[in-house]
Amino acid sequence: MNCHDMEERISLYAGGDLRPEEAAGVERHVAECAGCQLLLSGLWESLRLLREAHCEPVDEAHFAAVRARVMSRIERGRSPWWRQVWVYAAAVAVVALLVVAVRPVRKSAPVPLPRVATSVGGAAAPVRGRPPGRPALPPRNSAGKVRPARRRSAPPAQKAEEPAQPLVVKLLTNDPDVVIYWITDTKGE
Amino acid sequence: MAAPVEGSDAHARAIAAARAGDLAAFETVMRQYERMVLLTAMRLLGNIEDAKDASQEVFLRLYRNLDKVEASSNFSGWLYRVTVNVCRDMGRKRTASVPMEEAPDLASGADDPQQAATGAERQRVLRMSLRLLSEKERAVVVLRDLEGLSTEEVARALGSSEATVRSQISKARVKMRNFVERYFRRRV
């Protein structure tokens, strides 16, 4: 068996993991092989160093912290259900109170509502397709009588193609210098 | 390091009392095994904060399973098995996000600065050499070489065969030896 094949056995031998008959075989080989002696001494040295590092004292605070956390979790789990419910209910109530208390109070001065004028002509009134002013009069004949409206022969499709007139609403406020015009299309947009 | 001696009357009484709801008795049991659990977790996970989280989980599982553990003759074997499992789960979650960090030193501060420096260096070598190993090799080395369990106990704790444990530990020892040699040769 060559040195490469012996490596696994020497490694097990270093940690005391071989049966006596296997260990004897390793000892015989190592006694004659300088390379394997070096390997074995290195294994022993590294094992000693790592075991020493593992056995160094540990700060007691780490254990105390774990103990405290475990006991706290166990005690929390052991409290009766009705006490836990009360704790959760109280927490929710406190949060709700805080939300109400912290919420910003909006104090706004009362704004007078605009007065909507409904007069037609100079005053504000919903006017479809015309600026405020004199309403259109029906056509009259020479005798001053109202002519009946002539039937138009245009197809109704043409009527539909006419652009929709916007709706203009004039709002008068208490301030005579401020007049608000509200212009919307027929769809109310 | 050998596990605490089990099977004594005091040990059995403490477990029985803890099972009956005596929290002080449970704390006594915890004190008996806390070093074993925390250090094992520390070596498996590589940093003290994760090790504390793992220890907490192990003892909570112990508390929830006191009935089953009492029947088990191998109390520390059960704890080792649970510790390895908890650390394995935590390690898998962590590798997705956080790499194994350079952990703060676990040892308490020594009075002699020279000794403290040597101790810190040894801790560093141990931590780095364990990082070289695969998850299974690390578990085998920690239980066999650092905690001092027998090959049979390690196999039982890890749910594998003795032959597998022997194969893994021989490879792991050679890897660690090579690392330690390289580390100190470079330092010199």
Side-chain angles (χ1 to χ4, degrees):
Chain A
M1 190 175 278
N2 62 27
C3 294
H4 184 71
D5 295 333
M6 286 298 287
E7 189 180 88
E8 182 177 340
R9 287 187 179 208
I10 291 172
S11 177
L12 291 171
Y13 175 80
D17 291 309
L18 286 184
R19 287 188 291 271
E21 61 273 19
E22 291 174 314
V26 169
E27 284 165 1
R28 274 197 302 275
H29 175 85
V30 169
E32 298 167 356
C33 181
C36 288
Q37 281 173 22
L38 210 61
L39 172 66
L40 181 59
S41 62
L43 283 164
W44 274 334
E45 182 59 23
S46 62
L47 275 173
R48 184 190 60 78
L49 186 128
L50 300 177
R51 281 175 181 156
E52 278 178 10
H54 184 62
C55 291
E56 277 172 8
V58 179
D59 196 338
E60 174 61 25
H62 296 309
F63 300 124
V66 172
R67 237 180 285 133
R69 280 153 57 173
V70 171
M71 297 313 283
S72 158
R73 285 279 299 272
I74 291 173
E75 279 169 1
R76 210 185 313 154
R78 277 161 58 107
S79 61
W81 66 269
W82 53 266
R83 194 180 295 169
Q84 292 182 43
V85 167
W86 275 109
V87 168
Y88 286 123
V92 168
V94 167
V95 169
L97 282 172
L98 279 173
V99 167
V100 169
V102 172
R103 193 178 59 177
V105 179
R106 291 183 197 159
K107 282 190 176 177
S108 54
V111 177
L113 289 172
R115 193 157 49 82
V116 178
T118 55
S119 59
V120 178
V127 179
R128 187 174 292 273
R130 281 175 209 277
R134 203 169 57 139
L137 295 172
R140 293 171 184 269
N141 58 15
S142 54
K145 294 198 174 170
V146 176
R147 278 189 307 198
R150 252 191 277 169
R151 281 198 112 148
R152 296 198 176 190
S153 57
Q158 272 185 334
K159 260 189 181 175
E161 283 172 5
E162 286 176 9
Q165 301 291 338
L167 176 70
V168 179
V169 177
K170 184 179 178 183
L171 302 173
L172 300 178
T173 66
N174 288 343
D175 187 344
D177 295 332
V178 177
V179 178
I180 300 169
Y181 282 99
W182 181 24
I183 304 170
T184 65
D185 63 11
T186 51
K187 293 174 184 170
E189 292 173 349
Chain B
M1 177 172 295
V5 178
E6 295 169 15
S8 67
D9 286 348
H11 184 258
R13 273 200 303 274
I15 293 177
R19 191 184 165 202
D22 183 347
L23 279 187
F26 182 74
E27 195 171 348
T28 303
V29 173
M30 203 163 55
R31 281 176 186 272
Q32 197 178 352
Y33 292 94
E34 62 188 2
R35 182 184 165 84
M36 179 190 108
V37 172
L38 184 68
L39 278 188
T40 302
M42 169 68 194
R43 302 308 172 204
L44 292 174
L45 292 168
N47 73 76
I48 186 64
E49 291 308 319
D50 284 350
K52 284 200 260 188
D53 289 345
S55 298
Q56 177 185 336
E57 179 61 26
V58 170
F59 284 117
L60 286 172
R61 286 191 192 183
L62 172 64
Y63 183 77
R64 287 196 289 264
N65 292 285
L66 274 171
D67 291 357
K68 295 173 198 167
V69 182
E70 193 191 21
S72 163
S73 58
N74 188 4
F75 195 84
S76 58
W78 188 91
L79 276 175
Y80 275 124
R81 190 165 56 249
V82 173
T83 304
V84 169
N85 288 340
V86 167
C87 291
R88 191 183 297 154
D89 293 345
M90 283 184 68
R92 282 176 188 161
K93 280 178 197 163
R94 186 190 52 189
T95 46
S97 55
V98 184
M100 210 173 189
E101 65 185 53
E102 281 293 316
D105 289 322
L106 183 67
S108 58
D111 293 336
D112 179 7
Q114 179 68 32
Q115 195 186 337
T118 312
E121 177 119 56
R122 273 201 298 258
Q123 290 289 327
R124 183 178 157 83
V125 172
L126 174 56
R127 199 163 55 233
M128 290 171 80
S129 55
L130 286 172
R131 280 167 63 176
L132 292 174
L133 308 178
S134 69
E135 185 185 277
K136 286 178 180 170
E137 286 172 346
R138 196 181 307 132
V140 165
V141 164
V142 169
L143 297 185
R144 175 75 188 98
D145 286 344
L146 303 183
E147 286 292 304
L149 271 63
S150 69
T151 308
E152 186 190 352
E153 287 170 327
V154 175
R156 213 181 304 140
L158 299 179
S160 58
S161 69
E162 283 186 55
T164 305
V165 170
R166 282 157 64 94
S167 167
Q168 286 168 338
I169 199 141
S170 71
K171 285 177 191 157
R173 281 177 188 154
V174 172
K175 281 185 194 175
M176 292 175 82
R177 172 258 186 192
N178 292 344
F179 171 77
V180 170
E181 278 202 350
R182 275 202 314 274
Y183 181 89
F184 283 107
R185 202 181 305 151
R186 202 184 307 147
R187 297 278 292 179
V188 170

